[in-house]
Amino acid sequence: MSRFPQGGWLVLVAAFLCVAVIAVAHGAVSIPIGAVLDALRGIGDPTAIAIVRDLRLPRVLLGALVGAGLGSSGAALQGSLRNPLAEPYLLGVSGGAAVGAVIVFALGIKNDALVMLAAFVGSMAAVVLALTVSRVGGRGAKGDLRTLLLAGVIVGAFANATIMVALASADPNTVRGALFWMMGSATDATWRSAAWLAASVAVAGGALVYWAREIDILALGEETAASLGIDAERSGQRIFLIAALLAAATVAAAGLIGFVGLVVPHIARRVGLRAHRPLIVASALIGATLVVAADLAARTVAPPIELPLGAITALLGVPFFLAQLKRAA
Amino acid sequence: MIQVSDLVVSYPGAKRNAVNRVSFIAEAGRLTALAGPNGSGKSSVVRALIRRVEIIGGAITVGGIDVRALTHGELARRVAVVPQREDAAFPLQVREYVALGRYPHLGLWRAPSSLDAQAIDTALSQAGVSSLADRDTDALSGGEWQRVRIARALAQRAPVLVLDEPTTFLDVAHEMAIFELLASLARSGLAVLLVSHQLNLVARFADTIVLLNEGLIAISGTPAEVMKADRLESIYGWPVVITRDPAVGAPALVPLRRPVSL
């Protein structure tokens, strides 16, 4: 397979910056790059300043952070659970978050902060439930992380069933609100939500980078991990929890944005990265680029309608995955 | 040095103990082989050593210290293991893979030092895989992969090396090459404990053979003491004769035909 080229990091960073600048410049109103730079410094047309500083910049930042969080979370989970199909949403994170959000919608509360909080609490509850189920069910060999994967899938399925039951009896407005939330969007981005997510991504992402070598070793299987001095069960659960926390923070901020956590780590491997420390960092960069690009597409492809961001990422992700399958075959 | 004393290992729901009061010593500078039929408890001894299964009775000490008194990291600095099964989920570059052997030695910041780099280089060259350093682990042949795994264990720089069936699926030449490597590692001062059911190769290379059967020690001693036709016949439940290998005169086992009538 190909090696990660020298200067590869430069290309990844440059690609992200290009996409980010274009995303700040384009939208319902296009602003020339020069005017964008002026607006950033607070010079020129007050409308342009308002659009750039208060609307586009937090939105692009939030999208980038969501992509970075999902990408690095997916890379860590695939490695530690030893499964190329693992992704944060598969493990009950999305289902739990949706249950939390739907409960708030069903109660008729119109408060974005409360929806965020409920989504975060819901996803963490689902993750703790999955961990508990895997501990109770995980008999036989100690520390079989496959049980954790199964437990996550089962908790997710249960959450989806709960949502369907809750929405079956809800009024149309609630259903509409819940549905839009589940499709994911960066529309409601504010500096506050972006800053909150930035802190989560910095802490949890940093922790994943710190424990990246353990992920390398977990990917070799539990026997080898034990022989290298790692308690596979404890270490695997720790990575699982951090990755889930990271994904939950992104879900709380922007709803469900599918396929990023699954596809992005595969792109990072495709460009030649193997060990998890660079893999997680590159997945964050690629994820950020992808989500900012998808959000740009979501708001510029069919104006004035904004397409759901989660649908765009899935539309981009599926063909990529099919191409992967074809190459692997 | 590994000392196993009266070791008992048991799996939940099993009718008999997987390992029942087994005692032996694997000394520094010697190649000790743990042999026996499938299911005789060989791998369970290794699992108990790396604490993947609970030690129900008896003890395993490494350099005089009970393994249960050591942290996982302390144990990994004393004993390097090449487990029987290892299905890497994702490929790594060979050098990155061998570098994981340094994990037990890394400090709080997980930053590798020049000593680590040197240990990796030495391990690659000892195992004869320096030329593969830039390859991906999923692009190796079976023989190359086994040597790379041994290199990873050597990078641990532990005084004890344990290998669980390292030559399964290898052809004659690769199998011999691995055994020669292990014998020379033992001569260099390591305590090498080899789990294998290749009795004939073990008889040629090992200093001591511990032959397990149904969780118990059936025979142990030098190859000449262990390779006795009547005992092996009853252990394996198959007619055998013992002959001498024509090259070095080591005892060799030849299983006889016992045709099945349909």
Side-chain angles (χ1 to χ4, degrees), chain A residues 1-3 220 269-270 274, chain B residues 87-94 97 132 134-142 144-145 148:
Chain A
M1 259 191 241
S2 60
R3 288 268 151 263
L220 302 177
R269 282 194 202 91
R270 172 69 62 198
R274 298 285 174 273
Chain B
D87 37 346
F90 300 101
L92 279 173
Q93 206 180 330
V94 166
Y97 174 81
L132 305 176
D134 292 330
R135 293 258 289 276
D136 276 346
T137 50
D138 63 350
L140 301 174
S141 73
E144 289 167 341
W145 173 229
V148 165

Side-chain angles (χ1 to χ4, degrees), chain A residues 258-270:
Chain A
F259 260 94
V260 177
L262 176 64
V263 170
V264 164
H266 288 281
I267 300 177
R269 282 194 202 91
R270 172 69 62 198

Side-chain angles (χ1 to χ4, degrees), chain A residues 59-106:
Chain A
R59 180 171 188 157
V60 167
L61 189 62
L62 189 86
L65 288 164
V66 166
L70 290 174
S72 50
S73 172
L77 285 171
Q78 289 178 2
S80 59
L81 296 172
R82 307 174 4 86
N83 192 323
L85 289 177
E87 64 141 340
Y89 290 176
L90 203 64
L91 307 173
V93 171
S94 58
V99 169
V102 166
I103 288 174
V104 174
F105 285 120

Side-chain angles (χ1 to χ4, degrees), chain A residues 1-3 78-84 140-144 210-211 213-214 216-217 219-224 226-232 238 266 269 273-278, chain B residues 47 50-52 72-73 76 79-81 83-93 96-97 99-101 103-104 106-112 134-136 138 145 149 152 156:
Chain A
M1 259 191 241
S2 60
R3 288 268 151 263
Q78 289 178 2
S80 59
L81 296 172
R82 307 174 4 86
N83 192 323
K142 205 178 127 194
D144 190 339
Y210 177 77
W211 276 302
R213 258 177 231 280
E214 290 196 12
D216 285 335
I217 292 172
L220 302 177
E222 281 123 30
E223 300 257 309
T224 306
S227 81
L228 285 168
I230 287 182
D231 182 336
R238 176 166 58 207
H266 288 281
R269 282 194 202 91
L273 291 166
R274 298 285 174 273
H276 278 84
R277 189 167 284 192
Chain B
R47 286 199 200 107
I50 58 172
R51 293 163 62 196
R52 287 280 299 160
H72 285 87
V79 183
V81 183
Q84 183 174 8
R85 274 173 306 187
E86 177 174 328
D87 37 346
F90 300 101
L92 279 173
Q93 206 180 330
E96 287 170 345
Y97 174 81
L100 295 179
Y103 178 81
L106 294 178
L108 185 64
W109 294 108
R110 308 283 204 272
D134 292 330
R135 293 258 289 276
D136 276 346
D138 63 350
W145 173 229
R149 294 179 68 210
R152 197 251 304 138
Q156 268 174 270

Side-chain angles (χ1 to χ4, degrees), chain A residues 139-142, chain B residues 9-18 53-54 56:
Chain A
R139 288 181 307 172
K142 205 178 127 194
Chain B
V9 172
S10 179
Y11 294 103
K15 285 200 187 90
R16 61 167 175 83
N17 291 335
V53 293
E54 203 189 334
I56 307 272

Side-chain angles (χ1 to χ4, degrees), chain B residues 64-129:
Chain B
I65 305 170
D66 193 312
V67 292
R68 285 167 293 188
L70 297 168
T71 65
H72 285 87
E74 285 167 344
L75 183 59
R77 287 193 286 275
R78 287 169 170 78
V79 183
V81 183
V82 179
Q84 183 174 8
R85 274 173 306 187
E86 177 174 328
D87 37 346
F90 300 101
L92 279 173
Q93 206 180 330
V94 166
R95 199 185 159 80
E96 287 170 345
Y97 174 81
V98 173
L100 295 179
R102 297 305 295 165
Y103 178 81
H105 299 276
L106 294 178
L108 185 64
W109 294 108
R110 308 283 204 272
S113 67
S114 59
L115 187 74
D116 293 316
Q118 194 200 330
I120 295 161
D121 287 333
T122 311
L124 284 166
S125 109
Q126 276 183 310
V129 290

Side-chain angles (χ1 to χ4, degrees), chain A residues 102 105 163 167 172-185 256 308:
Chain A
V102 166
F105 285 120
I163 294 164
L167 289 184
N173 273 336
T174 305
V175 174
R176 196 179 152 77
L179 199 65
F180 268 90
W181 183 86
M182 282 193 262
M183 288 191 291
S185 162
L256 300 182

